[in-house]
Amino acid sequence: MHTVPLTLLTIIGEGLLRERLITEIERAGAKGYTITECSGSGSRHRRVGELLGENMKLECVVSPEVADKLLGILSEEYFPHFAVIAYLSPVSVIRGDKYV
Amino acid sequence: MHTVPLTLLTIIGEGLLRERLITEIERAGAKGYTITECSGSGSRHRRVGELLGENMKLECVVSPEVADKLLGILSEEYFPHFAVIAYLSPVSVIRGDKYV
Amino acid sequence: MHTVPLTLLTIIGEGLLRERLITEIERAGAKGYTITECSGSGSRHRRVGELLGENMKLECVVSPEVADKLLGILSEEYFPHFAVIAYLSPVSVIRGDKYV
Amino acid sequence: MLEVLRINLCSPISLAFVLGLFARIIRSELSLPRELYASLSIYLLLALGLKGGVELSHASMAELAWPAVVTLLLGVITPCTAYLVLRRIGRFSIADSAGIAAHYGSVSAVTFIAAQQFVQTLGFPAEGFMPTLLTLLESPGIHVALGIGAVQTARMASQPRADGSPPVERRPLKEVLHEVLTARSMILLVGGLACGFVMGEKGYEPVKPFFEGMFKGALTLFLLEMGLAAGARLGDLKSTGLFLLAFGMIMPILHGSLGVFLGHWAGLSIGGATVLGAMAASASYIAAPPAVRMTLPEANPTLYLTAALAITFPFNIVLGIPIYFQLARMLAGGS
Amino acid sequence: MLEVLRINLCSPISLAFVLGLFARIIRSELSLPRELYASLSIYLLLALGLKGGVELSHASMAELAWPAVVTLLLGVITPCTAYLVLRRIGRFSIADSAGIAAHYGSVSAVTFIAAQQFVQTLGFPAEGFMPTLLTLLESPGIHVALGIGAVQTARMASQPRADGSPPVERRPLKEVLHEVLTARSMILLVGGLACGFVMGEKGYEPVKPFFEGMFKGALTLFLLEMGLAAGARLGDLKSTGLFLLAFGMIMPILHGSLGVFLGHWAGLSIGGATVLGAMAASASYIAAPPAVRMTLPEANPTLYLTAALAITFPFNIVLGIPIYFQLARMLAGGS
Amino acid sequence: MLEVLRINLCSPISLAFVLGLFARIIRSELSLPRELYASLSIYLLLALGLKGGVELSHASMAELAWPAVVTLLLGVITPCTAYLVLRRIGRFSIADSAGIAAHYGSVSAVTFIAAQQFVQTLGFPAEGFMPTLLTLLESPGIHVALGIGAVQTARMASQPRADGSPPVERRPLKEVLHEVLTARSMILLVGGLACGFVMGEKGYEPVKPFFEGMFKGALTLFLLEMGLAAGARLGDLKSTGLFLLAFGMIMPILHGSLGVFLGHWAGLSIGGATVLGAMAASASYIAAPPAVRMTLPEANPTLYLTAALAITFPFNIVLGIPIYFQLARMLAGGS
Ligand SMILES: Nc1ncnc2c1ncn2[C@@H]1O[C@H](COP(=O)(O)O)[C@@H](O)[C@H]1O
Ligand SMILES: Nc1ncnc2c1ncn2[C@@H]1O[C@H](COP(=O)(O)O)[C@@H](O)[C@H]1O
Ligand SMILES: Nc1ncnc2c1ncn2[C@@H]1O[C@H](COP(=O)(O)O)[C@@H](O)[C@H]1O
Ligand code: NA
Ligand code: NA
Ligand code: NA
């Protein structure tokens, strides 16, 4: 199959941010996303679904530009106060225009 | 460690397809798979676990050939009618023969 | 954004191993991890959350060295007796020093 | 009639439903855990079955025969009338018509329970074997409608793959039948009936506080969730159009009246005829959706889910059941 | 007093809480499924609302007026006193002070229920309309404290983004208000009150075994989970410092006494004044934490969660409520 | 005997188990949410403990002493007999033998409850302190069997890693002990016993409708799930072989008879001796599996899970308990 290279942006962090992060990625131009519940631990201690809720993992397949823009927003407005991390990985999709 | 490059095929879509997709990937030659429940949104609107159930993410580590074959089947028989996406990413494993 | 290449180690296997694997990765030098519940099937048969519990997916962003060390431990001490697989994938992060 | 309506509207069941609806309309974050929803529905179906089974042990085959026959008849007629109306008058596609018809040919267990509680509150309890009829009505309508859809689209003739293997989707009819007959709701209802029948009053006694004492409260909680689910679909009403809105309220009245008539004719009491009417009038939103989604993927889920859940279900709960009751009472008075 | 304390300590509620605490201390793996916790809290709030609504239908507006006024007053005073004490004496940052104050300005529904059960056991039942007061006290305190925080930090003036668009976080106050008013607990309580009011005794009867008969048992299970949650926070006590420990026990006594006084003054019975005191003394750990986290992200969650859950909640359950009761009884005796 | 068997087979408990089994055999999609299963088991264990604790407050130390001694004795004997039979006659590997023996040395709480309900239905209630014995029998058998396994394989001598650090798996015995003693079921049972003891009849009264009224119904639902779980393992019977099938039915009779004898000898009533027999005969499928999996990973989980859950559990529920009862009655008659 003919595939197109795109970027998978993965954001992991406090579940409370769900709606806010969805708004962010949609405003930045993502055409879809997938959310999974998870738990985890990082520099801001172990978080396992207590009163403030579990962590969540938000994944979206986007163009490298959108991914870069979102990384910028995350690092400026979210990393300082919230328990959030983000990383990019390369993926290949078919029907590439669906995602950009 | 000596690692072998393989392909990780990720399929995200309606949970109802679970058994059918498992049959597909096993028939295509996948030796295992992992399923996670998730929710999400795409071109076919937001899907958050209503009457037709949540989305699911099916991941399988396969040879590039199997991945390609499955992408073909998905794009012909599933993408038209079902809310499904799929993408490939490169992974490295040890004990590569376990997966092919 | 300026990003740093790192390795994402994914371990999938019996949920019972959770605490033991967390100890392993922390001892090996991982600075954080994320855990998701999942089900799946592999060479050791289908496992869907029965009496011994579901599978889990443990993901951690680490340096290639740590990833290699963990693959070694896994393949020696875990693969023989437990239903576990592991793979590596390349990721890009910002604030790379957070992970090493 | 007004008094009957008032009683119905002020029942915990209706109020909980309205509360759920309201919460969605004002966009509250309220939602019941999915597992609570699943647990409650397992509990309600099993309790329904057990109770029905215990009472079935008092019923004679003769009493049951005619009601069973007319119930099966309803299972064949209602999907056909629904299909014809949708296709001919509504001008829906074959797949959409068949998909929606499958829902109206089957039955909503909660509507059944609500009707049962309603006639009981008014002092006209339905026959103890009604849950048996419920199980008879659940699946035929789905198969009839899916059959119509399959024949009309001749979809069964899809091509084999390049490598000669058949596509996974092309499942023999036997498989679809197996799926519907072994579906969760079927097992719980039929299994509950059988267990209740075998254990009898005496075996039932110690579990009665759980399965009967808690029933109405659990039902109230369940209807809160139904209200939330229906409310989430209200937004789709715009896109589904006026015809479906009318269909979702007129079709139940027609099917409901037919059910009441046939029930009365088959010898059911006022309560029994009302409940049979409500069953015929109701649209399934548990068994039908997955069956339709997998067998007729071209059918638009928004249409059938919205019609069944956001239009017909509330209509029956609030207005329909009192109407069928009124009708059953008139028939009984005139006989 | 000692006898009152003993009765309170040997109640299933206190014992379950202690069991949960103990399980965490010995690092047991025991944990309740998250969905059970959510289901129980939905059940408790709805049951509380329904019961309160049914009883509200017997109450006159006149009776309710003054208690409602003093409740709202408490909603304004308590966040301010808490803020001042934290900022001036405790030397906490503006964000931390406002964040903790938001918790102490709001109310803990479980503390409310525990107080209600306590006075009932002792033969001094509180007024039937108390759940109405609970809903009045839930949100004002949060808004007052968050408002103080916002004004003090002038945080609202944050810069627009490079591309001119406003950051997502800068939400108009209307949105925050909407969120708190449509929060799960609000809908269930207020909705339950409304439903109970409409259905009245007669409609309530059939669901009473579920919503009233099971109430205390469900509450016991819930307190086991509360004990587990509080126990998980015990370790944080070290990092939060002695001041917060003292604050978490002295502030409730001050707020609780104020609540008892105002309640007595407004004409509440001994039971009612006790419960109002417990409400004022309690710190929210359901509604406040997410609101504070999203609006004041600089505030350290460990501080407010530990204070509300691991210090003030157990203090009130075990010692506070009997104290407020003693005070209410003294006041009533002296009047 | 036949009448006793019939009563047992027509009880809601047995019927629900059979329904679950049947649903799996016809490959129904029915399954209970995992959280419901967890919630039910928490409820059952806590209710069992509370009730037992309340009744323990009436018991004297003297009554309890001998039953406790023979219970501990059973906890040491049964894992050894099971190990020997498996290793010598069955020719299983050391790890498999020890792993299975750990299950048969421990106890199944649901079998205990089923036996308790059974003798109560027949008018021979067991002693109120039986839940205390249950807690005594839970863990010793697991440790004895795991100890045998460890000694036999000298597995403790595994090599340190290349970098000199010890492998994570090599846990000191203290840790394993801590794990079993603080396991969920232990905390709930022992904690429930303690709470029930402290609160007494009077404190128990208000929560009785929840913890006692609902008990049998909740148990019925739980057995439906047990039937589903056992049914899912039926397919493995083929691979586990005939020996294990025989072992899973003969071993319980031997252990059960020993339990009845010792119970009778220690002064237990007919009901009490029956229940002690059922405890000795039963195989754990909650506490033992994870302990064995982590400590003896070479042992094949299919063997021990299938034996405990798909063979011995149903055998005891359907046939075993009536047999132990018959035996206890004969002994009592002959004494
Ligand atoms: N760009 C995307 N990134 C991540 N997940 C997506 C994306 N688009 C769609 N999805 C997921 O795939 C499902 C089906 O997508 P669709 O067929 O576009 O409705 C959605 O419900 C999402 O869970
Ligand atoms: N190195 C890592 N690998 C995988 N997940 C991580 C890592 N670090 C942090 N996380 C996840 O990101 C969340 C927030 O991280 P932090 O802001 O470092 O507390 C954690 O709760 C983890 O779920
Ligand atoms: N090829 C594969 N792709 C994705 N996940 C797999 C694969 N093989 C195994 N797994 C996962 O790893 C677990 C253990 O695998 P195994 O040890 O092969 O039984 C399975 O239960 C699956 O969740
Ligand atoms: Na119908
Ligand atoms: Na307060
Ligand atoms: Na045993």
Side-chain angles (χ1 to χ4, degrees):
Chain A
M1 300 289 304
H2 170 73
T3 60
V4 182
L6 281 172
T7 298
L8 176 69
L9 165 66
T10 304
I11 307 173
I12 302 176
E14 341 191 0
L16 265 186
L17 294 174
R18 174 187 286 244
E19 294 303 319
R20 197 185 283 189
L21 286 175
I22 290 175
T23 313
E24 292 287 7
I25 63 165
E26 283 178 346
R27 264 177 41 174
K31 294 282 179 289
Y33 60 84
T34 296
I35 288 180
T36 322
E37 285 182 17
C38 55
S39 57
S41 164
S43 54
R44 270 160 280 208
H45 304 305
R46 200 151 172 176
R47 306 180 44 79
V48 276
E50 243 181 80
L51 287 171
L52 285 173
E54 297 241 19
N55 275 359
M56 57 146 212
K57 175 158 51 165
L58 195 162
E59 288 164 306
C60 49
V61 177
V62 287
S63 66
E65 294 74 39
V66 170
D68 195 66
K69 190 169 155 192
L70 281 167
L71 274 192
I73 292 173
L74 286 170
S75 74
E76 256 176 61
E77 294 175 25
Y78 289 84
F79 290 169
H81 291 310
F82 294 107
V84 180
I85 69 163
Y87 51 82
L88 308 180
S89 23
V91 294
S92 313
V93 302
I94 43 179
R95 305 184 304 161
D97 46 319
K98 187 179 190 311
Y99 303 92
V100 291
Chain B
M1 301 289 305
H2 171 72
T3 60
V4 182
L6 281 172
T7 299
L8 175 70
L9 166 65
T10 304
I11 308 173
I12 302 176
E14 340 192 1
L16 266 185
L17 293 173
R18 172 188 288 244
E19 293 304 320
R20 197 186 283 188
L21 286 175
I22 290 175
T23 313
E24 291 288 6
I25 64 166
E26 283 178 347
R27 263 176 43 175
K31 292 282 178 292
Y33 60 84
T34 296
I35 288 181
T36 321
E37 286 182 19
C38 54
S39 57
S41 164
S43 54
R44 272 160 279 208
H45 304 305
R46 202 152 169 174
R47 306 181 43 79
V48 277
E50 243 181 80
L51 288 172
L52 284 173
E54 298 241 20
N55 275 358
M56 56 146 212
K57 173 158 53 166
L58 196 162
E59 287 164 307
C60 49
V61 176
V62 288
S63 67
E65 294 73 40
V66 171
D68 195 66
K69 190 169 156 193
L70 280 167
L71 274 192
I73 292 173
L74 286 170
S75 74
E76 257 176 60
E77 295 175 26
Y78 290 83
F79 290 169
H81 290 311
F82 294 106
V84 180
I85 69 165
Y87 51 82
L88 308 179
S89 25
V91 294
S92 314
V93 302
I94 43 181
R95 305 183 303 162
D97 46 317
K98 188 179 189 308
Y99 304 92
V100 291
Chain C
M1 300 290 305
H2 170 72
T3 60
V4 182
L6 281 172
T7 299
L8 175 70
L9 166 66
T10 304
I11 307 172
I12 302 176
E14 342 191 0
L16 265 185
L17 295 173
R18 173 188 286 245
E19 294 303 320
R20 197 185 284 188
L21 286 176
I22 290 175
T23 313
E24 292 288 6
I25 64 165
E26 283 178 345
R27 263 176 43 175
K31 293 282 179 292
Y33 60 84
T34 296
I35 288 181
T36 323
E37 287 183 17
C38 54
S39 57
S41 164
S43 55
R44 271 161 277 209
H45 305 305
R46 200 152 170 174
R47 307 180 41 79
V48 276
E50 243 182 79
L51 288 171
L52 285 173
E54 297 239 21
N55 276 359
M56 58 145 211
K57 175 160 49 166
L58 196 162
E59 288 164 306
C60 50
V61 176
V62 288
S63 66
E65 294 73 40
V66 171
D68 195 65
K69 190 169 157 193
L70 280 167
L71 274 192
I73 293 173
L74 286 170
S75 74
E76 258 177 58
E77 296 175 24
Y78 289 83
F79 290 169
H81 291 311
F82 295 107
V84 180
I85 68 164
Y87 50 83
L88 308 179
S89 24
V91 294
S92 314
V93 302
I94 42 179
R95 304 185 303 162
D97 47 318
K98 187 179 190 309
Y99 304 92
V100 292
Chain D
M1 178 73 191
L2 273 184
E3 174 60 10
V4 165
L5 253 178
R6 202 195 56 78
I7 291 179
N8 190 38
L9 271 173
C10 293
S11 75
I13 295 177
S14 306
L15 289 172
F17 182 80
V18 170
L19 177 57
L21 216 61
F22 175 76
R24 266 298 158 280
I25 290 172
I26 63 166
R27 284 177 305 115
S28 160
E29 42 131 48
L30 175 65
S31 74
L32 265 60
R34 264 200 313 149
E35 284 76 12
L36 176 58
Y37 172 80
S39 304
L40 284 173
S41 84
I42 288 171
Y43 165 83
L44 291 173
L45 288 167
L46 189 60
L48 194 65
L50 284 177
K51 183 86 203 299
V54 172
E55 301 209 357
L56 197 60
S57 54
H58 307 319
S60 72
M61 262 303 134
E63 279 175 279
L64 229 159
W66 279 116
V69 168
V70 299
T71 302
L72 288 174
L73 207 67
L74 284 169
V76 177
I77 297 175
T78 53
C80 297
T81 49
Y83 179 81
L84 286 175
V85 169
L86 289 159
R87 185 93 183 99
R88 295 289 154 80
I89 312 184
R91 304 252 148 249
F92 282 100
S93 75
I94 292 177
D96 283 336
S97 303
I100 303 174
H103 289 69
Y104 283 83
S106 183
V107 61
S108 144
V110 180
T111 308
F112 169 88
I113 296 175
Q116 211 190 24
Q117 302 289 336
F118 176 78
V119 292
Q120 195 183 313
T121 306
L122 293 184
F124 295 87
E127 277 77 3
F129 56 70
M130 294 308 291
T132 314
L133 302 188
L134 177 66
T135 64
L136 292 180
L137 193 53
E138 181 140 30
S139 74
I142 298 179
H143 295 291
V144 170
L146 291 182
I148 297 176
V151 170
Q152 297 285 321
T153 55
R155 218 179 39 79
M156 295 320 219
S158 73
Q159 297 295 317
R161 286 175 183 170
D163 61 358
S165 67
V168 169
E169 83 194 85
R170 246 207 278 155
R171 298 179 306 162
L173 212 75
K174 222 184 73 190
E175 242 179 65
V176 179
L177 195 68
H178 175 263
E179 219 163 74
V180 175
L181 284 183
T182 63
R184 208 180 61 175
S185 50
M186 264 302 181
I187 295 289
L188 288 168
L189 261 179
V190 179
L193 277 170
C195 289
F197 190 87
V198 173
M199 72 176 73
E201 293 283 3
K202 240 197 108 192
Y204 184 57
E205 203 60 46
V207 297
K208 200 168 169 177
F210 183 77
F211 286 113
E212 211 165 319
M214 298 298 108
F215 193 79
K216 288 180 197 178
L219 184 61
T220 304
L221 214 50
F222 194 78
L223 268 126
L224 177 63
E225 170 69 17
M226 294 293 304
L228 290 168
R233 296 241 143 234
L234 281 185
D236 288 331
L237 280 181
K238 263 169 283 162
S239 65
T240 53
L242 270 183
F243 180 84
L244 206 63
L245 188 69
F247 175 88
M249 303 203 278
I250 295 172
M251 206 74 238
I253 297 190
L254 297 182
H255 285 167
S257 308
L258 183 66
V260 172
F261 272 105
L262 289 178
H264 175 69
W265 179 81
L268 289 178
S269 67
I270 294 183
T274 305
V275 173
L276 188 66
M279 281 162 66
S282 73
S284 159
Y285 42 80
I286 303 275
V292 171
R293 185 78 188 114
M294 296 308 274
T295 320
L296 283 174
E298 314 85 300
N300 181 355
T302 302
L303 296 179
Y304 50 75
L305 288 177
T306 306
L309 192 60
I311 307 174
T312 297
F313 179 73
F315 173 79
N316 276 326
I317 294 295
V318 173
L319 276 180
I321 295 175
I323 292 178
Y324 314 139
F325 172 70
Q326 228 31 39
L327 191 63
R329 201 150 60 167
M330 275 167 47
L331 278 181
S335 70
Chain E
M1 178 72 192
L2 273 184
E3 174 60 10
V4 166
L5 253 177
R6 202 196 56 78
I7 291 179
N8 190 39
L9 270 173
C10 292
S11 75
I13 294 178
S14 304
L15 289 172
F17 182 80
V18 171
L19 177 58
L21 216 60
F22 175 76
R24 266 298 160 277
I25 291 173
I26 63 166
R27 282 176 306 116
S28 160
E29 42 131 46
L30 175 64
S31 74
L32 266 59
R34 264 199 314 148
E35 283 77 11
L36 176 58
Y37 171 80
S39 303
L40 284 174
S41 85
I42 288 171
Y43 165 83
L44 291 173
L45 288 168
L46 189 60
L48 194 64
L50 284 177
K51 183 87 202 300
V54 172
E55 302 209 357
L56 197 60
S57 54
H58 306 321
S60 70
M61 263 302 134
E63 280 176 278
L64 230 160
W66 279 115
V69 168
V70 299
T71 302
L72 288 174
L73 207 67
L74 284 168
V76 178
I77 297 176
T78 54
C80 297
T81 49
Y83 179 83
L84 286 174
V85 168
L86 289 160
R87 184 91 183 101
R88 296 288 156 79
I89 312 185
R91 304 252 146 248
F92 283 99
S93 75
I94 292 177
D96 282 337
S97 303
I100 303 174
H103 290 69
Y104 283 82
S106 183
V107 62
S108 143
V110 179
T111 308
F112 169 89
I113 297 175
Q116 211 190 23
Q117 303 287 337
F118 176 78
V119 292
Q120 195 183 313
T121 305
L122 292 185
F124 296 86
E127 277 77 4
F129 55 71
M130 294 306 291
T132 313
L133 302 187
L134 178 66
T135 63
L136 291 180
L137 194 53
E138 181 140 30
S139 73
I142 299 179
H143 294 291
V144 170
L146 291 182
I148 297 177
V151 170
Q152 297 285 319
T153 54
R155 217 180 39 79
M156 296 319 219
S158 72
Q159 296 296 316
R161 285 174 184 170
D163 61 358
S165 67
V168 169
E169 84 193 83
R170 246 208 279 153
R171 299 179 306 162
L173 212 76
K174 223 184 72 191
E175 243 180 64
V176 180
L177 194 67
H178 174 263
E179 219 162 72
V180 175
L181 284 183
T182 63
R184 208 181 62 176
S185 50
M186 263 301 181
I187 295 289
L188 289 167
L189 261 180
V190 179
L193 277 171
C195 290
F197 190 86
V198 172
M199 72 177 72
E201 294 284 4
K202 241 196 107 191
Y204 184 58
E205 204 61 46
V207 298
K208 200 168 170 176
F210 183 77
F211 286 112
E212 211 165 321
M214 298 299 108
F215 194 79
K216 288 178 197 178
L219 184 62
T220 303
L221 214 51
F222 195 78
L223 268 125
L224 178 63
E225 169 69 17
M226 294 292 304
L228 290 167
R233 296 240 143 237
L234 282 185
D236 288 331
L237 279 181
K238 264 170 281 161
S239 66
T240 53
L242 268 184
F243 181 83
L244 206 61
L245 188 68
F247 175 88
M249 303 203 278
I250 296 172
M251 206 76 238
I253 298 191
L254 297 182
H255 286 167
S257 308
L258 183 65
V260 172
F261 272 104
L262 288 179
H264 174 69
W265 179 81
L268 290 177
S269 67
I270 293 183
T274 304
V275 173
L276 188 65
M279 281 161 66
S282 73
S284 160
Y285 42 80
I286 304 275
V292 171
R293 185 78 187 115
M294 296 307 273
T295 320
L296 284 173
E298 314 86 298
N300 181 355
T302 303
L303 295 179
Y304 49 76
L305 288 177
T306 307
L309 192 60
I311 308 173
T312 297
F313 179 74
F315 173 79
N316 277 326
I317 294 295
V318 173
L319 275 181
I321 295 175
I323 293 178
Y324 314 140
F325 172 71
Q326 223 39 31
L327 190 63
R329 201 150 60 168
M330 275 167 46
L331 277 181
S335 70
Chain F
M1 178 72 191
L2 272 184
E3 173 61 9
V4 165
L5 253 178
R6 202 196 55 78
I7 291 179
N8 190 40
L9 271 173
C10 293
S11 75
I13 294 178
S14 306
L15 289 173
F17 182 80
V18 171
L19 177 57
L21 217 59
F22 175 77
R24 266 297 159 279
I25 291 172
I26 63 166
R27 283 176 306 116
S28 160
E29 42 132 47
L30 176 64
S31 75
L32 265 59
R34 264 200 314 148
E35 283 78 11
L36 176 58
Y37 172 80
S39 303
L40 284 174
S41 86
I42 288 172
Y43 165 84
L44 291 173
L45 289 167
L46 189 61
L48 194 64
L50 283 177
K51 183 86 202 300
V54 172
E55 302 208 357
L56 197 60
S57 53
H58 308 320
S60 71
M61 263 303 133
E63 281 175 276
L64 230 158
W66 279 115
V69 168
V70 299
T71 302
L72 288 174
L73 208 66
L74 285 168
V76 177
I77 297 175
T78 54
C80 298
T81 50
Y83 180 82
L84 286 174
V85 170
L86 289 159
R87 185 90 183 103
R88 295 288 155 81
I89 313 184
R91 304 252 147 250
F92 283 98
S93 75
I94 292 177
D96 282 337
S97 304
I100 303 175
H103 289 69
Y104 283 83
S106 183
V107 62
S108 144
V110 180
T111 308
F112 169 88
I113 296 176
Q116 211 191 22
Q117 303 289 335
F118 176 79
V119 292
Q120 195 184 314
T121 306
L122 293 184
F124 296 85
E127 277 76 4
F129 56 70
M130 294 307 290
T132 313
L133 303 187
L134 177 66
T135 65
L136 291 179
L137 192 54
E138 180 139 31
S139 74
I142 298 178
H143 295 291
V144 170
L146 291 183
I148 298 176
V151 170
Q152 297 286 320
T153 56
R155 217 180 39 80
M156 294 319 217
S158 72
Q159 297 296 316
R161 285 174 184 172
D163 63 357
S165 67
V168 169
E169 83 195 84
R170 246 207 279 155
R171 299 178 307 160
L173 211 76
K174 223 185 71 188
E175 242 179 65
V176 180
L177 194 68
H178 175 263
E179 218 163 74
V180 175
L181 284 183
T182 63
R184 209 182 59 175
S185 50
M186 264 301 180
I187 295 289
L188 288 168
L189 261 179
V190 179
L193 277 171
C195 289
F197 190 86
V198 172
M199 72 177 73
E201 294 284 3
K202 239 196 109 192
Y204 184 57
E205 203 61 46
V207 297
K208 201 169 171 177
F210 183 77
F211 285 112
E212 212 164 321
M214 298 299 108
F215 193 79
K216 288 179 197 177
L219 184 61
T220 304
L221 213 51
F222 194 78
L223 268 126
L224 177 63
E225 170 69 18
M226 294 292 304
L228 290 167
R233 297 241 142 236
L234 282 185
D236 289 330
L237 279 181
K238 263 170 283 162
S239 65
T240 54
L242 268 183
F243 181 82
L244 207 62
L245 189 68
F247 175 89
M249 302 202 280
I250 296 171
M251 206 75 240
I253 297 189
L254 297 182
H255 286 166
S257 308
L258 183 65
V260 172
F261 272 104
L262 288 179
H264 174 70
W265 179 82
L268 288 178
S269 67
I270 294 183
T274 305
V275 172
L276 188 66
M279 280 161 65
S282 73
S284 159
Y285 41 80
I286 303 274
V292 172
R293 184 78 187 114
M294 296 307 274
T295 319
L296 284 174
E298 315 85 297
N300 181 354
T302 303
L303 295 178
Y304 49 76
L305 288 178
T306 306
L309 192 60
I311 307 174
T312 297
F313 179 74
F315 172 80
N316 276 327
I317 293 294
V318 173
L319 275 181
I321 294 174
I323 293 178
Y324 315 138
F325 173 71
Q326 222 41 30
L327 191 63
R329 202 150 61 168
M330 276 169 44
L331 277 182
S335 70

